[in-house]
């Protein structure tokens, strides 16, 4: 924020408009410059020796990367933020910043699949012992703690199946053994959930999703509490991570409309769900903002809104052929990974190999939908014709 706005206590929508902008430092231009840089020059060898100037080398930060980092720091209420080259890169850096050889690391069974893959392939090489826990059982998490438990990972709601977690209780339990708490907060974004206020040390975002919001950039962010910041900054610097300036700029641009986009995603999602929940072909909807959802009370307590991503289970007896037919019949919903962009997407839920401690049928037939900014009546009509065609 610039001199007039910094340090003031503004509401979130006002923050979104002003964070990461410094017109008073850039000749009045509303947006920060896109600085393409490797070399930064020093005025003399003395300054070079001390490194005592704002920027020293492209990889170490530019006015562009700093603008996005500062924006996320303010929105998350963090001590500091580092950018990552993707959401998965953010997960990996956050984990590496708080784990060392011999540590025990607890991850919810519902974590994003590639997060599990990282934990199962890279962390064992450092002799980190990885264990998965049932995300809905916060009350007995202490029973899983060992002498060497160093970190507890959270993701709420869970990937593909949308179980909520008791962020408060889990963070408080981790504090009793001085373990670092990490949370993948992509679904709600820092707009609808503030993990650091709830006791989390490292709040992770796949900026690729809602922050960028236009399906055209891969980017991640890690916001750290005071306690976790130093170690995060060290790992980030040591690993040589750098996000390209044009991508950072697109994320800053996306951020400005995050709140208005979210409102519409939520409204459209509720319209679609209210229609979908009464369909014969649908057995259940998985979305914590629904009063009938088992995670509703936790969502209500800790989140201030909901996004456009949910899943539904096809009715018992649905065949794989019927499910495939449904997806292939969709016209407006694209079949593709990722979400958080302006457009609607659908994928069949695949749980094989990514659930080991929760009681869920890995062969269940479900659809994950991302509801975009199209007119919901058109989306409903598209779902209706696809369901009717699949179940005729
Ligand atoms: C997509 C996603 C990621 C990874 O983000 P990428 O930018 O695709 O690497 C991490 N966590 C969650 C919950 C995601 O949905």
């Amino acid at each position: 924020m610039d001199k007039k706005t910094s340090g003031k206590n503004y509401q979130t929508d006002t923050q979104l408009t002003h964070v990461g902008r410094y017109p008073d430092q850039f000749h009045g231009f509303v947006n920060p410059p896109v600085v393409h840089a490797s070399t930064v020059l020093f005025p003399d060898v003395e300054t070079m020796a001390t490194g005592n100037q704002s920027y020293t080398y492209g990889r170490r930060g530019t006015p562009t990367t700093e603008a996005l980092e500062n924006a996320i720091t303010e929105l998350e209420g963090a001590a500091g933020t580092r950018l990552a080259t993707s959401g998965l890169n953010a997960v990996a850096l956050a984990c590496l910043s708080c784990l060392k050889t011999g540590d025990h690391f607890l991850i919810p069974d519902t974590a994003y699949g590639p997060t599990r893959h990282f934990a199962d392939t890279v962390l064992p090489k450092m002799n980190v012992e990885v264990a998965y826990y049932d995300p809905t059982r916060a009350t007995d998490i202490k029973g899983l703690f060992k002498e060497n438990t160093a970190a507890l990972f959270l993701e709420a709601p869970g990937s593909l199946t949308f179980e909520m977690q008791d962020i408060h209780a889990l963070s408080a339990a981790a504090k009793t053994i001085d373990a670092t708490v990490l949370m993948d907060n992509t679904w709600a974004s820092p707009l609808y959930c503030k993990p650091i206020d709830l006791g989390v040390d490292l709040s992770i975002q796949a900026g690729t999703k809602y922050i960028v919001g236009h399906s055209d950039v891969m980017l991640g962010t890690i916001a750290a509490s005071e306690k976790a910041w130093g170690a995060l900054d060290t790992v980030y610097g040591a690993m040589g991570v750098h996000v390209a300036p044009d991508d950072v700029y697109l994320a800053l641009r996306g951020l400005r409309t995050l709140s208005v986009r979210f409102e519409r995603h939520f409204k459209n999602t509720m319209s679609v769900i209210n229609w979908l929940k009464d369909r014969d072909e649908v057995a259940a909807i998985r979305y914590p903002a629904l009063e009938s959802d088992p995670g509703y009370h936790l969502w209500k307590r800790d989140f201030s809104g909901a996004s456009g991503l949910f899943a539904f289970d096809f009715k018992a007896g649905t065949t794989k052929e019927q499910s495939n037919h449904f997806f292939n019949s969709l016209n407006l919903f694209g079949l593709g990974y990722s979400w958080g962009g302006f457009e609607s997407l659908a994928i069949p839920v695949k749980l094989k190999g990514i659930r080991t401690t929760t009681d869920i049928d890995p062969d269940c037939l479900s659809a994950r939908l991302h509801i975009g900014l199209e007119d919901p009546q058109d989306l409903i009509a598209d779902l209706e014709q696809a369901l009717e065609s699949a179940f005729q």
Side-chain angles (χ1 to χ4, degrees), residues 85-91 111-112 114-115 153 155 157-159 184-187 204-209 217-220 309 338-339 368:
T85 56
S86 66
L88 183 57
N89 182 226
V91 168
Y112 177 62
T115 294
F153 197 91
E155 181 176 328
S159 266
D184 186 328
N185 186 35
T186 303
W187 184 83
I204 299 159
Q205 280 291 323
T208 309
K209 310 288 168 53
V217 171
M218 307 292 305
L219 184 141
L309 194 75
S338 205
W339 44 278
R368 189 192 74 181

CSV table of all heavy atoms in Angstrom, one decimal, residues 85-91 111-112 114-115 153 155 157-159 184-187 204-209 217-220 309 338-339 368, ligand 1:
chain,number,residue,atom,x,y,z
A,85,THR,N,6.5,-21.6,-7.8
A,85,THR,CA,6.3,-21.7,-9.3
A,85,THR,C,5.0,-22.4,-9.6
A,85,THR,O,4.5,-22.4,-10.8
A,85,THR,CB,7.4,-22.5,-10.0
A,85,THR,OG1,7.6,-23.7,-9.3
A,85,THR,CG2,8.7,-21.7,-9.8
A,86,SER,N,4.4,-23.0,-8.6
A,86,SER,CA,3.0,-23.6,-8.8
A,86,SER,C,2.5,-23.9,-7.4
A,86,SER,O,3.2,-23.7,-6.4
A,86,SER,CB,3.1,-25.0,-9.5
A,86,SER,OG,3.9,-25.9,-8.8
A,87,GLY,N,1.3,-24.3,-7.3
A,87,GLY,CA,0.7,-24.7,-6.0
A,87,GLY,C,1.5,-25.8,-5.4
A,87,GLY,O,1.8,-25.9,-4.2
A,88,LEU,N,1.8,-26.8,-6.2
A,88,LEU,CA,2.5,-28.0,-5.7
A,88,LEU,C,3.9,-27.6,-5.2
A,88,LEU,O,4.4,-28.1,-4.2
A,88,LEU,CB,2.6,-29.1,-6.8
A,88,LEU,CG,3.3,-30.4,-6.4
A,88,LEU,CD1,2.6,-31.0,-5.1
A,88,LEU,CD2,3.3,-31.4,-7.5
A,89,ASN,N,4.6,-26.7,-5.9
A,89,ASN,CA,5.9,-26.2,-5.5
A,89,ASN,C,5.8,-25.5,-4.2
A,89,ASN,O,6.7,-25.6,-3.3
A,89,ASN,CB,6.4,-25.2,-6.6
A,89,ASN,CG,7.8,-24.7,-6.3
A,89,ASN,OD1,8.1,-23.5,-6.4
A,89,ASN,ND2,8.8,-25.5,-5.9
A,90,ALA,N,4.7,-24.8,-3.9
A,90,ALA,CA,4.5,-24.1,-2.6
A,90,ALA,C,4.3,-25.2,-1.5
A,90,ALA,O,4.9,-25.0,-0.4
A,90,ALA,CB,3.2,-23.2,-2.7
A,91,VAL,N,3.6,-26.2,-1.8
A,91,VAL,CA,3.5,-27.3,-0.8
A,91,VAL,C,4.8,-27.9,-0.5
A,91,VAL,O,5.2,-28.1,0.7
A,91,VAL,CB,2.5,-28.5,-1.4
A,91,VAL,CG1,2.6,-29.7,-0.5
A,91,VAL,CG2,1.1,-28.0,-1.5
A,111,ALA,N,-5.7,-35.1,1.5
A,111,ALA,CA,-4.8,-34.1,0.9
A,111,ALA,C,-4.8,-34.2,-0.6
A,111,ALA,O,-5.0,-35.3,-1.2
A,111,ALA,CB,-3.4,-34.2,1.4
A,112,TYR,N,-4.6,-33.2,-1.3
A,112,TYR,CA,-4.4,-33.1,-2.8
A,112,TYR,C,-3.5,-34.3,-3.2
A,112,TYR,O,-2.4,-34.4,-2.6
A,112,TYR,CB,-3.9,-31.7,-3.1
A,112,TYR,CG,-3.6,-31.5,-4.6
A,112,TYR,CD1,-4.6,-31.5,-5.5
A,112,TYR,CD2,-2.3,-31.1,-4.9
A,112,TYR,CE1,-4.3,-31.2,-6.8
A,112,TYR,CE2,-2.0,-30.8,-6.3
A,112,TYR,CZ,-3.0,-30.8,-7.2
A,112,TYR,OH,-2.7,-30.5,-8.5
A,114,PRO,N,-1.2,-34.9,-5.6
A,114,PRO,CA,0.2,-34.7,-5.8
A,114,PRO,C,0.9,-34.3,-4.5
A,114,PRO,O,2.2,-34.5,-4.5
A,114,PRO,CB,0.2,-33.5,-6.9
A,114,PRO,CG,-1.1,-33.8,-7.6
A,114,PRO,CD,-2.1,-34.2,-6.6
A,115,THR,N,0.2,-33.8,-3.5
A,115,THR,CA,0.9,-33.5,-2.2
A,115,THR,C,1.3,-34.8,-1.6
A,115,THR,O,2.4,-35.0,-1.1
A,115,THR,CB,-0.1,-32.8,-1.3
A,115,THR,OG1,-0.4,-31.5,-1.8
A,115,THR,CG2,0.4,-32.6,0.1
A,153,PHE,N,0.0,-31.4,8.7
A,153,PHE,CA,-0.6,-30.7,7.5
A,153,PHE,C,-2.1,-30.8,7.6
A,153,PHE,O,-2.7,-31.7,8.1
A,153,PHE,CB,-0.1,-31.5,6.3
A,153,PHE,CG,-0.2,-30.8,5.0
A,153,PHE,CD1,0.9,-30.0,4.5
A,153,PHE,CD2,-1.4,-30.9,4.2
A,153,PHE,CE1,0.8,-29.4,3.3
A,153,PHE,CE2,-1.5,-30.2,3.0
A,153,PHE,CZ,-0.4,-29.5,2.5
A,155,GLU,N,-5.7,-29.6,5.2
A,155,GLU,CA,-6.3,-29.1,3.9
A,155,GLU,C,-7.8,-29.2,4.1
A,155,GLU,O,-8.4,-30.2,4.4
A,155,GLU,CB,-5.9,-30.0,2.7
A,155,GLU,CG,-6.5,-29.5,1.4
A,155,GLU,CD,-6.0,-30.3,0.2
A,155,GLU,OE1,-4.8,-30.8,0.2
A,155,GLU,OE2,-6.7,-30.4,-0.7
A,157,PRO,N,-11.7,-27.5,2.6
A,157,PRO,CA,-12.1,-28.9,2.7
A,157,PRO,C,-11.2,-29.8,1.9
A,157,PRO,O,-10.4,-29.3,1.1
A,157,PRO,CB,-13.5,-28.8,2.0
A,157,PRO,CG,-13.5,-27.6,1.2
A,157,PRO,CD,-12.5,-26.7,1.8
A,158,GLY,N,-11.3,-31.1,2.1
A,158,GLY,CA,-10.4,-32.1,1.5
A,158,GLY,C,-10.6,-32.1,-0.1
A,158,GLY,O,-11.6,-31.9,-0.6
A,159,SER,N,-9.5,-32.5,-0.7
A,159,SER,CA,-9.5,-32.6,-2.2
A,159,SER,C,-10.5,-33.7,-2.6
A,159,SER,O,-10.5,-34.8,-2.0
A,159,SER,CB,-8.1,-33.0,-2.7
A,159,SER,OG,-7.5,-31.8,-3.1
A,184,ASP,N,-3.1,-26.2,3.4
A,184,ASP,CA,-3.5,-25.9,2.0
A,184,ASP,C,-4.8,-25.2,2.0
A,184,ASP,O,-5.8,-25.8,2.3
A,184,ASP,CB,-3.5,-27.2,1.2
A,184,ASP,CG,-3.7,-26.9,-0.3
A,184,ASP,OD1,-4.3,-25.9,-0.7
A,184,ASP,OD2,-3.2,-27.7,-1.1
A,185,ASN,N,-4.8,-23.9,1.7
A,185,ASN,CA,-6.0,-23.1,1.9
A,185,ASN,C,-6.6,-22.6,0.5
A,185,ASN,O,-7.2,-21.6,0.4
A,185,ASN,CB,-5.7,-21.8,2.7
A,185,ASN,CG,-6.8,-20.9,3.1
A,185,ASN,OD1,-7.9,-21.4,3.3
A,185,ASN,ND2,-6.6,-19.6,3.1
A,186,THR,N,-6.3,-23.4,-0.5
A,186,THR,CA,-6.7,-23.0,-1.9
A,186,THR,C,-8.2,-22.9,-2.1
A,186,THR,O,-8.6,-21.9,-2.8
A,186,THR,CB,-6.1,-24.1,-2.9
A,186,THR,OG1,-4.7,-24.2,-2.7
A,186,THR,CG2,-6.3,-23.7,-4.3
A,187,TRP,N,-9.0,-23.8,-1.5
A,187,TRP,CA,-10.4,-23.7,-1.8
A,187,TRP,C,-11.1,-22.4,-1.4
A,187,TRP,O,-11.9,-21.9,-2.1
A,187,TRP,CB,-11.1,-24.9,-1.1
A,187,TRP,CG,-12.5,-25.1,-1.4
A,187,TRP,CD1,-13.1,-25.7,-2.4
A,187,TRP,CD2,-13.6,-24.6,-0.5
A,187,TRP,NE1,-14.5,-25.7,-2.3
A,187,TRP,CE2,-14.8,-25.0,-1.2
A,187,TRP,CE3,-13.7,-23.9,0.7
A,187,TRP,CZ2,-16.1,-24.8,-0.7
A,187,TRP,CZ3,-15.0,-23.7,1.2
A,187,TRP,CH2,-16.2,-24.1,0.5
A,204,ILE,N,-0.8,-22.2,2.6
A,204,ILE,CA,-0.4,-22.4,1.3
A,204,ILE,C,-1.6,-22.2,0.3
A,204,ILE,O,-2.7,-22.6,0.6
A,204,ILE,CB,0.1,-23.9,1.1
A,204,ILE,CG1,1.2,-24.1,2.1
A,204,ILE,CG2,0.4,-24.3,-0.3
A,204,ILE,CD1,1.5,-25.6,2.4
A,205,GLN,N,-1.2,-21.5,-0.8
A,205,GLN,CA,-2.2,-21.3,-1.9
A,205,GLN,C,-1.7,-21.8,-3.2
A,205,GLN,O,-0.6,-21.5,-3.6
A,205,GLN,CB,-2.4,-19.8,-2.1
A,205,GLN,CG,-3.2,-19.0,-1.1
A,205,GLN,CD,-4.7,-19.4,-1.2
A,205,GLN,OE1,-5.2,-19.6,-2.3
A,205,GLN,NE2,-5.3,-19.5,-0.1
A,206,ALA,N,-2.6,-22.5,-3.9
A,206,ALA,CA,-2.3,-22.7,-5.4
A,206,ALA,C,-2.9,-21.5,-6.0
A,206,ALA,O,-4.1,-21.4,-6.3
A,206,ALA,CB,-3.0,-24.0,-5.9
A,207,GLY,N,-2.1,-20.4,-6.2
A,207,GLY,CA,-2.6,-19.2,-6.8
A,207,GLY,C,-3.1,-19.4,-8.2
A,207,GLY,O,-3.9,-18.6,-8.7
A,208,THR,N,-2.7,-20.5,-8.8
A,208,THR,CA,-3.2,-21.0,-10.1
A,208,THR,C,-4.7,-20.9,-10.2
A,208,THR,O,-5.3,-20.7,-11.3
A,208,THR,CB,-2.7,-22.4,-10.3
A,208,THR,OG1,-1.3,-22.5,-10.1
A,208,THR,CG2,-3.0,-23.0,-11.7
A,209,LYS,N,-5.3,-21.2,-9.1
A,209,LYS,CA,-6.8,-21.3,-9.0
A,209,LYS,C,-7.5,-20.0,-9.0
A,209,LYS,O,-7.5,-19.3,-10.0
A,209,LYS,CB,-7.2,-22.2,-7.9
A,209,LYS,CG,-6.4,-23.6,-7.8
A,209,LYS,CD,-6.8,-24.5,-8.9
A,209,LYS,CE,-5.8,-25.7,-9.1
A,209,LYS,NZ,-5.5,-26.5,-7.9
A,217,VAL,N,-2.1,-19.1,-15.8
A,217,VAL,CA,-0.8,-19.0,-15.1
A,217,VAL,C,-0.7,-20.1,-14.0
A,217,VAL,O,-1.7,-20.4,-13.3
A,217,VAL,CB,-0.7,-17.6,-14.4
A,217,VAL,CG1,0.5,-17.6,-13.5
A,217,VAL,CG2,-0.6,-16.5,-15.4
A,218,MET,N,0.5,-20.7,-13.8
A,218,MET,CA,0.8,-21.5,-12.7
A,218,MET,C,1.5,-20.7,-11.7
A,218,MET,O,2.6,-20.1,-12.0
A,218,MET,CB,1.6,-22.7,-13.1
A,218,MET,CG,1.1,-23.5,-14.3
A,218,MET,SD,-0.4,-24.5,-14.0
A,218,MET,CE,0.1,-25.5,-12.5
A,219,LEU,N,1.1,-20.7,-10.4
A,219,LEU,CA,1.8,-20.0,-9.4
A,219,LEU,C,1.3,-20.4,-8.0
A,219,LEU,O,0.2,-20.9,-7.8
A,219,LEU,CB,1.4,-18.5,-9.6
A,219,LEU,CG,2.0,-17.4,-8.7
A,219,LEU,CD1,2.3,-16.2,-9.6
A,219,LEU,CD2,1.1,-17.0,-7.6
A,220,GLY,N,2.2,-20.3,-7.0
A,220,GLY,CA,1.8,-20.7,-5.6
A,220,GLY,C,2.3,-19.6,-4.7
A,220,GLY,O,3.1,-18.8,-5.0
A,309,LEU,N,-16.3,-24.9,-6.1
A,309,LEU,CA,-15.9,-26.3,-6.3
A,309,LEU,C,-16.6,-27.2,-5.3
A,309,LEU,O,-16.5,-27.0,-4.1
A,309,LEU,CB,-14.4,-26.4,-6.1
A,309,LEU,CG,-13.7,-27.6,-6.6
A,309,LEU,CD1,-13.6,-27.6,-8.1
A,309,LEU,CD2,-12.3,-27.8,-5.9
A,338,SER,N,-7.5,-28.6,-12.8
A,338,SER,CA,-7.5,-27.3,-12.2
A,338,SER,C,-8.9,-26.8,-12.1
A,338,SER,O,-9.9,-27.5,-12.4
A,338,SER,CB,-6.6,-26.3,-13.0
A,338,SER,OG,-6.1,-25.3,-12.2
A,339,TRP,N,-9.0,-25.6,-11.6
A,339,TRP,CA,-10.3,-24.9,-11.3
A,339,TRP,C,-10.0,-23.5,-10.8
A,339,TRP,O,-8.8,-23.1,-10.7
A,339,TRP,CB,-11.1,-25.7,-10.2
A,339,TRP,CG,-10.3,-26.2,-9.0
A,339,TRP,CD1,-9.6,-27.3,-9.0
A,339,TRP,CD2,-10.2,-25.6,-7.7
A,339,TRP,NE1,-9.0,-27.5,-7.7
A,339,TRP,CE2,-9.4,-26.4,-7.0
A,339,TRP,CE3,-10.7,-24.4,-7.2
A,339,TRP,CZ2,-9.0,-26.1,-5.6
A,339,TRP,CZ3,-10.4,-24.1,-5.8
A,339,TRP,CH2,-9.6,-25.0,-5.1
A,368,ARG,N,-16.7,-34.2,-9.8
A,368,ARG,CA,-16.3,-32.9,-9.2
A,368,ARG,C,-16.6,-31.8,-10.2
A,368,ARG,O,-16.2,-31.9,-11.4
A,368,ARG,CB,-14.8,-32.9,-8.8
A,368,ARG,CG,-14.5,-31.6,-8.0
A,368,ARG,CD,-13.0,-31.4,-7.9
A,368,ARG,NE,-12.4,-30.9,-9.1
A,368,ARG,CZ,-11.1,-30.7,-9.2
A,368,ARG,NH1,-10.3,-30.9,-8.2
A,368,ARG,NH2,-10.6,-30.3,-10.4
B,1,LIG,C1,-4.4,-27.5,-7.8
B,1,LIG,C2,-4.1,-27.6,-6.4
B,1,LIG,C3,-2.8,-27.6,-5.9
B,1,LIG,C4,-1.6,-27.5,-6.8
B,1,LIG,O1,-1.6,-26.3,-7.6
B,1,LIG,P1,-0.8,-26.3,-9.0
B,1,LIG,O2,-0.6,-24.8,-9.2
B,1,LIG,O3,-1.7,-27.0,-10.0
B,1,LIG,O4,0.5,-27.0,-8.8
B,1,LIG,C5,-2.5,-27.7,-4.6
B,1,LIG,N1,-3.5,-27.9,-3.7
B,1,LIG,C6,-4.8,-27.9,-4.1
B,1,LIG,C7,-5.9,-28.1,-3.1
B,1,LIG,C8,-5.1,-27.8,-5.4
B,1,LIG,O5,-6.4,-27.9,-5.8
